[in-house]
Amino acid sequence: MPELPEVETIKRELETALIGKKIVDVLLNNPRIVRGISPGALKQGVKGAVIRAIIRKAKSLILELSNGRALFIHLKMTGQLVYPGTGQNSRVSFVFSGDDILDFNDQRLFAELRLLKDWRSFKFIQKLGLEPFEVPFTGFKKLIAGKKTKIKPLLMDQACIAGIGNLYAAEILFRAKIHPERKAYSLTDGEIKVLFNEIGCVLRKAIACGGSSVDTYVRLSGKRGEYIRYHKVYGREGLPCCVCKTPITRNIVGGRGTYFCRKCQT
DNA sequence: AATGGGACCTGCGCGC
DNA sequence: TGCGCGCAGGTCCCAT
């Protein structure tokens, strides 16, 4: 959290709100989220620049500026972008020429804000695999086939497929009826096909809902993402499975809390 | 090489 | 009541 659907939601809202706006000031309230450059240098590097384009790469955002540079934003777990903001309780805020403000909040200081000369050559971007909507079924099959890894950590491996995190991996595997600890190589062609389809269905629906507001995620406007009403397993430990009424299990898989139905998912 | 675990952080909720 | 602990998870880094 936030994963591909949440970041895509914010990306679309940022486009509407910020394209063509000029940054006139940067408020460095708690600039520990600024990485790879001093906060002061970041401020000087963006002042006077106009936002030209907003790009999403997996769970990260890139704001292309008129001066040829780009702001790189990764919200990690608790990062929020809020517009219009107040500049008051943020880590960093951007002030635009109409005096409107974009707040970058982050409770846990895991989030990242960078100023890049060439975002395409940034190491994090380069290591990302293709996104779910960019992979044809034949390509997806190659990513899964023969891998010794458990299927859930593989779905969350950003170098394999970029954009799926802990929450959507759980929801996708429930709908595909696949146990999260199945070895990738053990999946049948039929299961891979169902998995591929469910990735598309779940992510498309989640984007249409504006993401899932669990923990601190909110949309740019501060509104909640409503996909949470479609969650079948995530955060539902002990509650009855919506299909078979077996209590939902929570195990640690690949170091992460993992929700599934031990009867429906095999 | 692949995999697992800890670190990074903070706030919240739970149990004693 | 209040304190301390566990937990949340995206990514990096190190050890095996």
Side-chain angles (χ1 to χ4, degrees), chain A residues 220-236:
Chain A
L220 189 62
S221 60
K223 277 196 304 186
R224 297 169 52 78
E226 298 296 341
Y227 188 72
I228 196 165
R229 70 175 60 154
Y230 298 99
H231 289 185
K232 307 284 194 205
V233 288
Y234 186 84
R236 301 193 71 248

Side-chain angles (χ1 to χ4, degrees), chain A residues 164-176:
Chain A
I164 299 171
N166 199 42
L167 188 160
Y168 291 104
E171 294 299 320
I172 288 162
L173 288 170
F174 174 80
R175 284 169 172 77

Side-chain angles (χ1 to χ4, degrees), chain A residues 59-70:
Chain A
K59 304 169 190 172
S60 63
L61 287 164
I62 294 122
L63 279 58
E64 286 188 333
L65 306 178
S66 56
N67 62 13
R69 302 209 195 177

Side-chain angles (χ1 to χ4, degrees), chain A residues 4-257:
Chain A
L4 187 153
E6 287 75 27
V7 182
E8 177 64 20
T9 298
I10 295 171
K11 181 243 176 189
R12 293 176 184 185
E13 294 173 325
L14 283 172
E15 281 180 331
T16 305
L18 298 187
I19 297 286
K21 297 226 167 181
K22 184 193 225 175
I23 300 171
V24 296
D25 200 7
V26 182
L27 309 178
L28 302 166
N29 298 330
N30 186 341
R32 282 169 70 187
I33 60 170
V34 177
R35 311 290 165 88
I37 183 176
S38 77
L42 181 135
K43 179 173 178 167
Q44 286 314 309
V46 302
K47 256 177 121 169
V50 174
I51 310 271
R52 290 289 193 222
I54 318 282
I55 295 157
R56 181 188 57 72
K57 284 289 168 187
K59 304 169 190 172
S60 63
L61 287 164
I62 294 122
L63 279 58
E64 286 188 333
L65 306 178
S66 56
N67 62 13
R69 302 209 195 177
L71 284 165
F72 171 89
I73 292 172
H74 199 306
L75 300 171
K76 300 283 180 82
M77 269 84 72
T78 56
Q80 295 177 332
L81 294 177
V82 175
Y83 179 91
T86 62
Q88 296 297 309
N89 296 305
S90 65
R91 301 302 183 179
V92 172
S93 293
F94 296 90
V95 183
F96 298 96
S97 52
D99 274 348
D100 46 335
I101 294 173
L102 172 70
D103 284 339
F104 191 159
N105 304 323
D106 184 34
Q107 182 183 90
R108 288 163 66 184
L109 297 168
F110 281 6
E112 286 186 23
L113 176 61
R114 295 173 183 269
L115 183 61
L116 303 177
K117 287 197 174 76
D118 176 15
W119 66 264
R120 287 166 210 279
S121 64
F122 183 48
K123 193 177 158 195
F124 175 84
I125 298 285
Q126 292 220 314
K127 285 197 305 186
L128 293 173
L130 289 176
E131 304 217 353
F133 299 124
E134 298 170 339
V135 190
F137 177 62
T138 48
F140 180 71
K141 220 164 136 179
K142 279 181 200 157
L143 292 174
I144 302 294
K147 294 273 169 57
K148 294 179 203 166
T149 321
K150 292 170 182 173
I151 187 62
K152 178 167 176 271
L154 187 61
L155 286 180
M156 294 168 62
D157 179 353
Q158 302 301 296
C160 177
I161 316 169
I164 299 171
N166 199 42
L167 188 160
Y168 291 104
E171 294 299 320
I172 288 162
L173 288 170
F174 174 80
R175 284 169 172 77
K177 303 187 190 303
I178 295 168
H179 193 288
E181 298 191 79
R182 280 277 295 283
K183 302 276 189 165
Y185 62 72
S186 77
L187 299 190
T188 65
D189 279 8
E191 285 175 322
I192 295 174
K193 182 81 193 165
V194 171
L195 179 59
F196 181 76
N197 288 338
E198 290 300 339
I199 288 172
C201 290
V202 168
L203 295 183
R204 263 190 294 274
K205 181 71 175 171
I207 291 169
C209 291
S212 301
S213 277
V214 299
D215 205 2
T216 60
Y217 166 74
V218 288
R219 304 173 63 151
L220 189 62
S221 60
K223 277 196 304 186
R224 297 169 52 78
E226 298 296 341
Y227 188 72
I228 196 165
R229 70 175 60 154
Y230 298 99
H231 289 185
K232 307 284 194 205
V233 288
Y234 186 84
R236 301 193 71 248
E237 183 183 14
L239 296 173
C241 169
C242 62
V243 173
C244 74
K245 309 301 178 205
T246 302
I248 297 300
T249 304
R250 179 184 176 276
N251 276 354
I252 302 296
V253 179
R256 295 294 167 221

